[in-house]
Amino acid sequence: MFSVWSFNPSANTVVSGMDRGDSIANAATGRGGRFRMSIVARLMVALGAFSLVSAVAIALVFTVFMEDLTTEAQHRHLHGLLDTLRQELNAEGEKALALATLVAQTPATQAALAEGDRDALLAQYQGAFAHLRDTFGVRQFQFHRPPATSFLRVHKPETFGDDLSSFRRTVVQANTDRTPIHGLELGVAGLGMRGVTPVEYNGQPVGSVEVGLSFGPAFFDTFARDHGVDVALYLRKPGGRWDTFAATSEAPADEGRLRAALQDGIQVYQAQGADHEEAVIAAPIPDYEGKTIGVAVIALDSSPYLAQIADARARAVIASLVTLAVALMAGFVIARGIGGTLRLASDALSRFAQKDFSVDLPKARGHGETARVIQALHDFRAQTLKLHETENEQAAYLERVNAQRDDLERQSRKVLRGVVAATVEANEAIVALIHMMRDVDVATEQSQAMASAVEEMVAATREISESSDNAASEAEGARGAAGDGVSGATRAVDTMEGIHSAVSAASQRVDILADASSQIGDIVRQIEEIADQTNLLALNATIEAARAGDAGKGFAVVANQVKSLANQTARATEDIRGRIDTLRDEMASIIHAMENGASAVQDGRGVVTDMGTQLQTIASSISTVTTRMHDIASILGQQTKATNEIAEGTTSIASLSQRNSDEVKEALIAMERATTALNAHVAAFAGHGGPIVLVEIAKNDHIMFKKRVLDAVTGRVPLAERDLPDHLTCRLGRWYAQITDARLKAHPAFAALEAPHRQVHNCGKEAVHKASVGDGDGALEAMDCLQTASHDVIRLLTDMSTAIEAMEGAEREAVS
């Protein structure tokens, strides 16, 4: 026997007092014989019915939940397989691009392609092609000339020179945009996985290199084997036809699902396979440009998932039956101790829930369940009352905290903007100081050069002054020499007169000598005639002597002697005649020379007379020059003093320029220290996140990028072009690419930001490159381009920051 307690709230007393049989009887009958079910019975019936309904509901919910969970797991599995397929496709493209990039960055390759040396490229890579084909699955290895002319096919060297531009857009785009490209591309030979990267030589584009990997049924067979699925790729052909590129199953394609995937995106559905049900996912596959070229289909065996669903249903039925039995037993036990206390507790809790704490609760008596429930109600009311007061206090405190948080956020953003603005201004000041330092350095160099030039001018002026003094002295001597020359000219005229008279007299004597020679000639002719007569006489004497015989021999001897003398006389006269003729010729020459000499003396007399007149004019001019040279020497003396003063002033300017340069450098160092401190404060905000914070930090990064470029251009910091990030990998570029908010992407500043941001990085790289090759003017032109684009970037970032703040304010108002 055991007691069942009930509570009568109207009597405020605890009533006990019936055993199990009495409780059952009272449950069946009431006052006046009317049937009335007790609270215990009602609780048992209610708990039993509730348990039954709950068990059935739980079984149904559990079954549906497990089916949904299993279906979701199946879908996640399909999506995971699709992601894996896409990743493996992308990995193949990146592998092809990596191999192409490795080849394009080889200096020997760059030089050979620039020089058009096909043999050198073939010798370099033909041996390695077999290894690349066997190890990495390379099927195509090709070099091109811009825009898309085949220069060398390493895999097929006998074919080259054909134009690929009509069907190889990857090659055209890589050579036109000078950017690497990888991905799927439809060509003449079909679909292929390509990696194309441009090749530069000494900073100039010379062509491109392409690596094509094996992509076909083998790829899909490997994927199907590794993941235990069927996979296929269908390509869309003109006219709405579908071509099976590769498939690991012979099941026909569902063209309706393929069209739906092509138009609406990923499709997940169930299909009946040869001997089992399959879960299928169909998704569009893009090429290198992101254009859909086909649909990939992955079919997964649903049998394990269906088995899990059946097992879950069986478990749910068993669990429902067990739960019902346990609930009925628990209901019976619980109902014993529940009665009026439950009603009281229900009413009290209901009023407590409505914030009504004026419930009149009885005192707890004893230590039973009812007493503990009543005491718990007292304690609960007290705690609930305190909790209500605490909630009111917390609500008020929360309002204050929210207000303080909003104010703190506004202050933080204001501080961040102020720090970023200060950093921007400080960096702009540094840029201006660097320009100023460069100008001051140039001014210092020019001042020093001018000081040296002025010093050289002082020395030259001093030398000119001394030379002028010497010239004046020499002019004095020249004036005296000119006077002497006039006297000498007069004497020369007199001498010429004497020479002319002597020549005239000599000419007359030569004439007399000529007459005497003529007379001697006459005498010689007479002697020749006598010699001829003597020869004739000797001949006659010889003839007569011969007639006389021996008596005439003596006479013959005399005749011979006479003949010999006559011959000697003839020869002497002949020699005399020759000499006389020669003497006549010489005298004729002497006469002619004397006549010429007389004429020359006459002319010389006139020249000397003219020279005397000119010497007198020269003497007068030299006197004037002497006076002016003295004046020049005096003026140059004064100029030397003035030039010395200019030299001293120029030296002072050079010293002042040097001090200005040193002061600008000190100011630049101080500004850089201040900028470093400001950058540290800006970096402290980076951890807080948020679009506005990132935008403001992007401004600071942008200015720091510009300063790095200027430091490299001016030679203050060594920096290579490859050390500079592009507009996609910097912090601003990464944030820009991750924006998904349609409202922000629709803002005009968002769309307009990409072009100047790209131009900033391109101009920065160009400035560093031109500075590295010694093109100072070109580097400064690129810096001007960067400065112009920089102003646009800062302005657009400010507009975006304002837009983000406005959108966040609107969201807070909507929530409140």
Side-chain angles (χ1 to χ4, degrees):
M1 300 296 290
F2 54 87
S3 299
V4 177
W5 296 86
S6 63
F7 182 74
N8 185 354
S10 60
N12 291 331
T13 59
V14 177
V15 179
S16 157
M18 60 181 69
D19 57 19
R20 183 177 182 181
D22 295 338
S23 64
I24 296 174
N26 288 333
T29 60
R31 184 178 299 176
R34 293 180 300 170
F35 179 82
R36 184 176 67 86
M37 185 178 290
S38 67
I39 185 66
V40 175
R42 290 198 302 270
L43 283 173
M44 290 184 64
V45 172
L47 285 173
F50 178 75
S51 299
L52 177 62
V53 173
S54 297
V56 173
I58 290 173
L60 292 175
V61 171
F62 179 76
T63 301
V64 173
F65 173 74
M66 287 301 296
E67 290 179 355
D68 292 342
L69 188 63
T70 304
T71 302
E72 184 181 354
Q74 184 175 252
H75 288 182
R76 283 200 302 270
H77 191 180
L78 287 173
H79 282 280
L81 290 170
L82 178 61
D83 291 340
T84 302
L85 178 63
R86 288 173 172 174
Q87 290 172 3
E88 291 186 6
L89 288 174
N90 187 60
E92 289 292 303
E94 289 180 348
K95 182 168 68 176
L97 182 61
L99 291 173
T101 303
L102 179 62
V103 173
Q105 295 299 321
T106 304
T109 301
Q110 297 171 353
L113 186 57
E115 295 170 359
D117 193 345
R118 185 178 290 103
D119 294 335
L121 290 175
L122 194 60
Q124 187 175 2
Y125 291 109
Q126 190 173 28
F129 174 69
H131 177 72
L132 293 175
R133 180 189 58 208
D134 299 337
T135 305
F136 298 102
V138 176
R139 290 294 177 267
Q140 290 190 357
F141 189 179
Q142 187 170 185
F143 293 89
H144 322 93
R145 285 287 196 183
T149 301
S150 176
F151 179 72
L152 171 64
R153 289 181 173 92
V154 180
H155 61 280
K156 193 176 182 182
E158 66 275 7
T159 303
F160 59 88
D162 47 328
D163 187 5
L164 313 177
S165 58
S166 62
F167 56 90
R168 292 302 313 283
R169 300 305 302 166
T170 53
V171 178
V172 175
Q173 185 173 341
N175 282 302
T176 302
D177 300 339
R178 298 173 64 181
T179 57
I181 297 174
H182 73 279
L184 295 173
E185 182 184 25
L186 284 170
V188 173
L191 186 65
M193 181 63 71
R194 318 287 186 182
V196 185
T197 186
V199 180
E200 294 186 356
Y201 182 69
N202 293 333
Q204 297 298 322
V206 295
S208 59
V209 59
E210 171 194 0
V211 172
L213 298 182
S214 174
F215 181 73
F219 173 84
F220 292 95
D221 291 339
T222 302
F223 183 86
R225 183 178 61 253
D226 293 342
H227 300 284
V229 296
D230 287 326
V231 61
L233 177 61
Y234 301 97
L235 301 180
R236 183 62 179 265
K237 295 296 182 180
R241 297 185 303 103
W242 291 90
D243 183 20
T244 303
F245 177 75
T248 61
S249 173
E250 296 180 356
D254 188 343
E255 294 190 1
R257 294 288 186 178
L258 295 180
R259 285 192 298 271
L262 193 65
Q263 295 174 359
D264 304 328
I266 297 175
Q267 301 290 313
V268 179
Y269 56 94
Q270 295 294 124
Q272 185 62 43
D275 56 355
H276 58 270
E277 189 174 351
E278 294 180 332
V280 184
I281 184 170
I285 296 298
D287 64 359
Y288 73 99
E289 291 181 307
K291 297 179 180 179
T292 301
I293 58 174
V295 175
V297 177
I298 301 175
L300 177 67
D301 185 4
S302 297
S303 300
Y305 295 97
L306 295 176
Q308 290 180 3
I309 293 175
D311 183 66
R313 289 173 180 170
R315 291 174 182 272
V317 172
I318 296 173
S320 298
L321 294 175
V322 173
T323 301
L324 179 60
V326 173
L328 289 173
M329 293 177 61
F332 176 75
V333 174
I334 294 172
R336 293 172 54 203
I338 300 175
T341 306
L342 182 60
R343 189 181 302 109
L344 174 64
S346 176
D347 294 341
L349 291 175
S350 178
R351 294 175 65 180
F352 292 162
Q354 298 175 3
K355 308 298 181 182
D356 182 6
F357 302 104
S358 62
V359 179
D360 187 11
L361 296 176
K363 294 181 180 180
R365 295 185 175 88
H367 302 284
E369 298 292 336
T370 302
R372 288 199 295 274
V373 170
I374 294 173
Q375 184 60 45
L377 289 174
H378 282 284
D379 296 340
F380 182 75
R381 179 172 63 178
Q383 293 298 326
T384 304
L385 184 59
K386 291 181 181 179
L387 181 61
H388 178 65
E389 295 174 353
T390 303
E391 287 179 352
N392 292 335
E393 293 177 356
Q394 286 180 347
Y397 177 74
L398 185 59
E399 290 181 0
R400 294 194 300 271
V401 168
N402 288 335
Q404 292 176 356
R405 183 197 62 191
D406 294 341
D407 184 63
L408 179 60
E409 185 176 356
R410 287 192 295 271
Q411 293 297 327
S412 298
R413 290 180 178 178
K414 184 177 181 181
V415 170
L416 175 60
R417 284 175 175 165
V419 172
V420 171
T423 306
V424 170
E425 294 299 328
N427 281 293
E428 290 289 353
I430 288 175
V431 171
L433 284 174
I434 291 175
H435 279 293
M436 184 186 300
M437 184 178 69
R438 183 175 179 276
D439 294 340
V440 169
D441 289 341
V442 172
T444 301
E445 293 176 359
Q446 293 178 350
S447 298
Q448 291 175 349
M450 185 171 65
S452 300
V454 170
E455 290 178 357
E456 293 176 359
M457 184 175 69
V458 170
T461 304
R462 188 178 296 109
E463 292 177 0
I464 292 171
S465 178
E466 293 175 355
S467 298
S468 298
D469 290 335
N470 294 333
S473 299
E474 292 174 359
E476 290 289 344
R479 184 171 61 182
D484 295 339
V486 172
S487 300
T490 302
R491 290 194 297 273
V493 170
D494 296 340
T495 302
M496 288 291 181
E497 291 289 345
I499 292 171
H500 186 270
S501 299
V503 169
S504 298
S507 177
Q508 292 175 359
R509 288 190 176 90
V510 170
D511 288 338
I512 296 172
L513 181 59
D515 293 337
S517 297
S518 297
Q519 293 174 3
I520 292 172
D522 294 336
I523 295 171
V524 169
R525 279 194 300 272
Q526 293 174 3
I527 293 172
E528 286 178 346
E529 292 175 355
I530 293 171
D532 291 336
Q533 291 296 327
T534 303
N535 271 328
L536 183 59
L537 290 174
L539 178 60
N540 291 327
T542 300
I543 293 172
E544 292 296 331
R547 288 177 180 176
D550 292 334
K553 289 181 178 179
F555 184 74
V557 173
V558 174
N560 287 331
Q561 291 294 328
V562 172
K563 183 180 179 181
S564 175
L565 289 174
N567 288 331
Q568 290 178 3
T569 302
R571 287 194 297 271
T573 55
E574 185 67 28
D575 183 56
I576 292 169
R577 180 179 292 280
R579 292 181 182 276
I580 289 173
D581 290 337
T582 300
L583 178 60
R584 285 179 177 175
D585 293 337
E586 292 295 332
M587 283 190 295
S589 297
I590 291 171
I591 291 171
H592 180 68
M594 285 185 174
E595 290 176 351
N596 290 336
S599 177
V601 169
Q602 185 66 29
D603 294 338
R605 182 174 59 184
V607 170
V608 171
T609 302
D610 293 338
M611 183 180 68
T613 304
Q614 291 176 0
L615 285 174
Q616 289 177 352
T617 304
I618 289 171
S620 177
S621 299
I622 288 173
S623 178
T624 304
V625 169
T626 302
T627 303
R628 291 181 178 177
M629 290 300 291
H630 283 298
D631 294 339
I632 290 172
S634 176
I635 293 171
L636 287 174
Q638 298 175 1
Q639 186 67 28
T640 301
K641 294 180 180 179
T643 306
N644 284 326
E645 294 176 358
I646 292 173
E648 293 175 358
T650 306
T651 303
S652 300
I653 291 173
S655 300
L656 180 59
S657 298
Q658 185 62 45
R659 287 197 300 272
N660 289 337
S661 177
D662 295 339
E663 291 172 358
V664 170
K665 289 179 181 178
E666 292 176 359
L668 181 59
I669 293 172
M671 289 299 297
E672 287 182 339
R673 287 198 297 266
T675 304
T676 301
L678 290 173
N679 288 334
H681 288 297
V682 172
F685 283 96
H688 297 291
I692 293 181
V693 173
L694 289 176
V695 169
E696 295 299 329
I697 292 177
K699 290 183 185 178
N700 187 71
D701 290 346
H702 173 73
I703 296 300
M704 291 302 296
F705 174 84
K706 182 169 66 175
K707 180 180 176 297
R708 287 179 65 196
V709 173
L710 187 59
D711 286 341
V713 169
T714 56
R716 300 179 67 249
V717 175
L719 183 66
E721 180 182 357
R722 63 177 178 274
D723 297 332
L724 294 174
D726 59 20
H727 71 289
L728 299 176
T729 57
C730 68
R731 180 156 27 197
L732 174 59
R734 295 196 301 271
W735 173 79
Y736 186 89
Q738 294 172 357
I739 290 297
T740 58
D741 193 328
R743 296 171 299 171
L744 184 57
K745 294 180 74 173
H747 194 277
F750 183 87
L753 179 62
E754 183 179 5
H757 183 214
R758 183 191 303 110
Q759 188 175 7
V760 165
H761 285 268
N762 291 342
C763 292
K765 288 178 175 289
E766 183 180 1
V768 172
H769 171 70
K770 289 189 175 181
S772 66
V773 299
D775 185 3
D777 294 336
L780 292 178
E781 290 179 1
M783 280 301 304
D784 293 337
C785 168
L786 186 152
Q787 187 76 358
T788 302
S790 171
H791 291 159
D792 293 338
V793 169
I794 294 297
R795 175 179 55 79
L796 293 172
L797 286 176
T798 301
D799 293 344
M800 290 179 62
S801 178
T802 304
I804 293 171
E805 189 171 21
M807 286 189 291
E808 291 181 351
E811 291 177 355
R812 285 196 296 271
E813 291 179 0
V815 170
S816 61

